[in-house]
Amino acid sequence: MNVYDSERMVETLEGQGYIQTDKAENADMILLNTCHIREKAADKIYSELGKFKGIKSANPNLKIGVAGCVAQAEGAEIIRRQPMVDLVVGPQSYHKLPQMEARIQTGARALDTDFPEEDKFNHLAARSKAKRGPTAFLTVQEGCDKFCAFCVVPYTRGSEVSRPADLVFSEACDLVDRGVREITLLGQNVNAYNGHRNGLSGLIWQLSEIKDLERIRFTTSHPNDMDAALIDAHGKCTKLMPYLHLPVQSGSNRILKMMNRKHTREGYFSVVDSIRDARPDLLLSSDFIVGFPGETDEDFSDTLDLVRQVGYGQAYSFKYSSRPGTPAAEKVGIDPILANERLQELQTLLTSQQHAVQASMVGREVSVLFEKKGRSDGQLIGKSEYMHAVHAVAPEHMLGQIIPVRITKNMTNSLTAEIIY
Ligand code: SAH
Ligand code: SF4
């Protein structure tokens, strides 16, 4: 979502005459778009800001801004800790960047971490008409009402809001006109989307009518919001790709309860079964947190057991990180050495599952949307419908196209393929 927000911030500032540069030394303004989900991510901001000291003293007119969830959570504290910062803007207020930019040009500071009544998407500068790559993110839902005990999202992103389906539809048409063939619909709880009378599945079916839009994905989903119509769409909508990120966090009912996840392991198994009934070849991915306060060996072995029973194509796992203001932050954490050991054990299991799934792809025919050139000559890289990174020797005109290939080899983090002519 930060990638999407950053694109929109760039487009908004283009109205003020800015163009994007990838060299901090060339910049008139540096805007850090930040993540607050875990402690490490938040700490990184201050060390990144420290790195700009030299550039700022070489160019005293340089303006520095902090956007995103750290800006939302820390507000004026950022300017107190790092007086070099001119601008602090939360994720719901970045449509106000033009006014804020004008203000900092007068030498003042600008801070906005409101949750305004108006919808920022209706106030953002129009999206640029420039040609773009074949894949794009599109935010359709923001915020979260679930309040998992460990998570800052409901506080930094606010309550659940969905963008109206017709506005999403016109943004999608515009992206497709500019060359996009695959859209990933984004939301902190994307399957709680209610901007279409038939929810997320209704939106997916509506978008599937855009002729040159060939692939649709969505992320991130909560197991409790996987309704029957959405599961059905996985079986019937050919443009909806057979890959689903469905975070479970833990395999222990005791921990799930303490996490306030509002589902059990059995509930998760039953959702997974329904999805696989609808689309047997679908690959699942998940997020896991190990070392949640109070997690015992038995709880952890329940997580390992859940992983073995479900079988994932890919997964992300994290050590629990205490976040100020969340209910779990009040509790005493587990021994960090034990948490590390558990994380490694879980990651070993998840990696072995990922490699087994990759190995099982060898010999299979899949289709790849080629996104860019590879490192070696004549090679293109893209994603299969199952989200595997695939590279193949292919002519350049295949960039941006979906091409049938046969997988020939399993590399560690990608697959090699040959084009089926
Ligand atoms: N809405 C999604 C998750 C969004 S946050 C869901 O409900 O699944 C992305 C991931 O970050 C979470 O799935 C979780 O695994 C991880 N995460 C969030 N808060 C965390 C914390 N305090 N410590 C460690 N990991 C955390
Ligand atoms: Fe955070 Fe996801 Fe839980 Fe919402 S549902 S509180 S975003 S982990």
Side-chain angles (χ1 to χ4, degrees), residues 71 82 85 108 154 185 261 301 345 354 371:
Q82 186 45 273
V85 171
L185 306 173
R261 284 290 290 182
S301 68
E345 193 175 345
Q354 180 188 331
E371 293 172 37

PDB file of all heavy atoms in Angstrom, residues 71 82 85 108 154 185 261 301 345 354 371:
ATOM      1  N   ALA A  71       4.505   8.812  10.634  1.00  0.00           N
ATOM      2  CA  ALA A  71       4.083  10.208  10.734  1.00  0.00           C
ATOM      3  C   ALA A  71       2.774  10.282  11.531  1.00  0.00           C
ATOM      4  O   ALA A  71       2.610  11.119  12.422  1.00  0.00           O
ATOM      5  CB  ALA A  71       3.887  10.795   9.343  1.00  0.00           C
ATOM      6  N   GLN A  82      13.965  15.162  15.384  1.00  0.00           N
ATOM      7  CA  GLN A  82      14.815  15.420  14.216  1.00  0.00           C
ATOM      8  C   GLN A  82      14.396  16.781  13.604  1.00  0.00           C
ATOM      9  O   GLN A  82      13.604  16.827  12.663  1.00  0.00           O
ATOM     10  CB  GLN A  82      14.647  14.263  13.221  1.00  0.00           C
ATOM     11  CG  GLN A  82      15.551  14.286  12.037  1.00  0.00           C
ATOM     12  CD  GLN A  82      17.004  14.599  12.371  1.00  0.00           C
ATOM     13  OE1 GLN A  82      17.398  15.765  12.428  1.00  0.00           O
ATOM     14  NE2 GLN A  82      17.792  13.554  12.594  1.00  0.00           N
ATOM     15  N   VAL A  85      13.424  17.971   9.955  1.00  0.00           N
ATOM     16  CA  VAL A  85      12.191  17.613   9.236  1.00  0.00           C
ATOM     17  C   VAL A  85      11.268  18.832   9.112  1.00  0.00           C
ATOM     18  O   VAL A  85      10.997  19.526  10.094  1.00  0.00           O
ATOM     19  CB  VAL A  85      11.465  16.447   9.959  1.00  0.00           C
ATOM     20  CG1 VAL A  85      10.083  16.203   9.366  1.00  0.00           C
ATOM     21  CG2 VAL A  85      12.316  15.187   9.886  1.00  0.00           C
ATOM     22  N   ALA A 108       8.142  27.794   7.172  1.00  0.00           N
ATOM     23  CA  ALA A 108       7.379  27.249   8.306  1.00  0.00           C
ATOM     24  C   ALA A 108       7.417  25.722   8.268  1.00  0.00           C
ATOM     25  O   ALA A 108       7.879  25.122   7.294  1.00  0.00           O
ATOM     26  CB  ALA A 108       5.950  27.747   8.225  1.00  0.00           C
ATOM     27  N   PRO A 154      -5.351  -0.365  13.171  1.00  0.00           N
ATOM     28  CA  PRO A 154      -6.597   0.363  13.444  1.00  0.00           C
ATOM     29  C   PRO A 154      -6.340   1.778  13.984  1.00  0.00           C
ATOM     30  O   PRO A 154      -7.191   2.656  13.820  1.00  0.00           O
ATOM     31  CB  PRO A 154      -7.290  -0.500  14.504  1.00  0.00           C
ATOM     32  CG  PRO A 154      -6.720  -1.866  14.293  1.00  0.00           C
ATOM     33  CD  PRO A 154      -5.291  -1.643  13.900  1.00  0.00           C
ATOM     34  N   LEU A 185      -5.680  -5.473  -6.127  1.00  0.00           N
ATOM     35  CA  LEU A 185      -6.530  -4.620  -5.297  1.00  0.00           C
ATOM     36  C   LEU A 185      -6.005  -4.660  -3.870  1.00  0.00           C
ATOM     37  O   LEU A 185      -5.740  -5.745  -3.330  1.00  0.00           O
ATOM     38  CB  LEU A 185      -7.975  -5.128  -5.343  1.00  0.00           C
ATOM     39  CG  LEU A 185      -8.561  -5.281  -6.750  1.00  0.00           C
ATOM     40  CD1 LEU A 185      -9.939  -5.951  -6.679  1.00  0.00           C
ATOM     41  CD2 LEU A 185      -8.654  -3.923  -7.444  1.00  0.00           C
ATOM     42  N   ARG A 261      -8.137 -12.517  17.428  1.00  0.00           N
ATOM     43  CA  ARG A 261      -8.290 -12.716  15.982  1.00  0.00           C
ATOM     44  C   ARG A 261      -9.735 -13.059  15.586  1.00  0.00           C
ATOM     45  O   ARG A 261     -10.085 -13.028  14.421  1.00  0.00           O
ATOM     46  CB  ARG A 261      -7.357 -13.841  15.504  1.00  0.00           C
ATOM     47  CG  ARG A 261      -5.917 -13.424  15.398  1.00  0.00           C
ATOM     48  CD  ARG A 261      -5.701 -12.454  14.256  1.00  0.00           C
ATOM     49  NE  ARG A 261      -5.845 -13.079  12.953  1.00  0.00           N
ATOM     50  CZ  ARG A 261      -5.663 -12.432  11.804  1.00  0.00           C
ATOM     51  NH1 ARG A 261      -5.349 -11.151  11.801  1.00  0.00           N
ATOM     52  NH2 ARG A 261      -5.805 -13.053  10.662  1.00  0.00           N
ATOM     53  N   SER A 301       3.922 -25.449  18.857  1.00  0.00           N
ATOM     54  CA  SER A 301       3.832 -26.673  18.048  1.00  0.00           C
ATOM     55  C   SER A 301       2.471 -26.756  17.345  1.00  0.00           C
ATOM     56  O   SER A 301       2.361 -27.339  16.265  1.00  0.00           O
ATOM     57  CB  SER A 301       4.197 -27.931  18.837  1.00  0.00           C
ATOM     58  OG  SER A 301       3.231 -28.151  19.794  1.00  0.00           O
ATOM     59  N   GLU A 345      12.806 -22.072  13.435  1.00  0.00           N
ATOM     60  CA  GLU A 345      12.191 -23.384  13.182  1.00  0.00           C
ATOM     61  C   GLU A 345      11.004 -23.247  12.227  1.00  0.00           C
ATOM     62  O   GLU A 345      10.856 -24.023  11.269  1.00  0.00           O
ATOM     63  CB  GLU A 345      11.748 -24.003  14.511  1.00  0.00           C
ATOM     64  CG  GLU A 345      11.396 -25.463  14.370  1.00  0.00           C
ATOM     65  CD  GLU A 345      11.074 -26.116  15.714  1.00  0.00           C
ATOM     66  OE1 GLU A 345      11.390 -25.536  16.776  1.00  0.00           O
ATOM     67  OE2 GLU A 345      10.496 -27.225  15.684  1.00  0.00           O
ATOM     68  N   GLN A 354       7.838 -24.107   0.611  1.00  0.00           N
ATOM     69  CA  GLN A 354       7.934 -23.244  -0.576  1.00  0.00           C
ATOM     70  C   GLN A 354       8.755 -23.939  -1.665  1.00  0.00           C
ATOM     71  O   GLN A 354       8.373 -23.970  -2.834  1.00  0.00           O
ATOM     72  CB  GLN A 354       8.579 -21.914  -0.179  1.00  0.00           C
ATOM     73  CG  GLN A 354       8.728 -20.961  -1.343  1.00  0.00           C
ATOM     74  CD  GLN A 354       9.539 -19.727  -0.976  1.00  0.00           C
ATOM     75  OE1 GLN A 354       9.564 -19.290   0.173  1.00  0.00           O
ATOM     76  NE2 GLN A 354      10.223 -19.160  -1.957  1.00  0.00           N
ATOM     77  N   GLU A 371       7.363  -8.762 -17.091  1.00  0.00           N
ATOM     78  CA  GLU A 371       7.351  -7.392 -16.557  1.00  0.00           C
ATOM     79  C   GLU A 371       8.603  -6.602 -16.884  1.00  0.00           C
ATOM     80  O   GLU A 371       8.578  -5.393 -16.969  1.00  0.00           O
ATOM     81  CB  GLU A 371       7.199  -7.423 -15.031  1.00  0.00           C
ATOM     82  CG  GLU A 371       5.850  -7.937 -14.587  1.00  0.00           C
ATOM     83  CD  GLU A 371       5.774  -8.149 -13.082  1.00  0.00           C
ATOM     84  OE1 GLU A 371       6.348  -7.355 -12.320  1.00  0.00           O
ATOM     85  OE2 GLU A 371       5.147  -9.151 -12.684  1.00  0.00           O
TER      86      GLU A 371
END
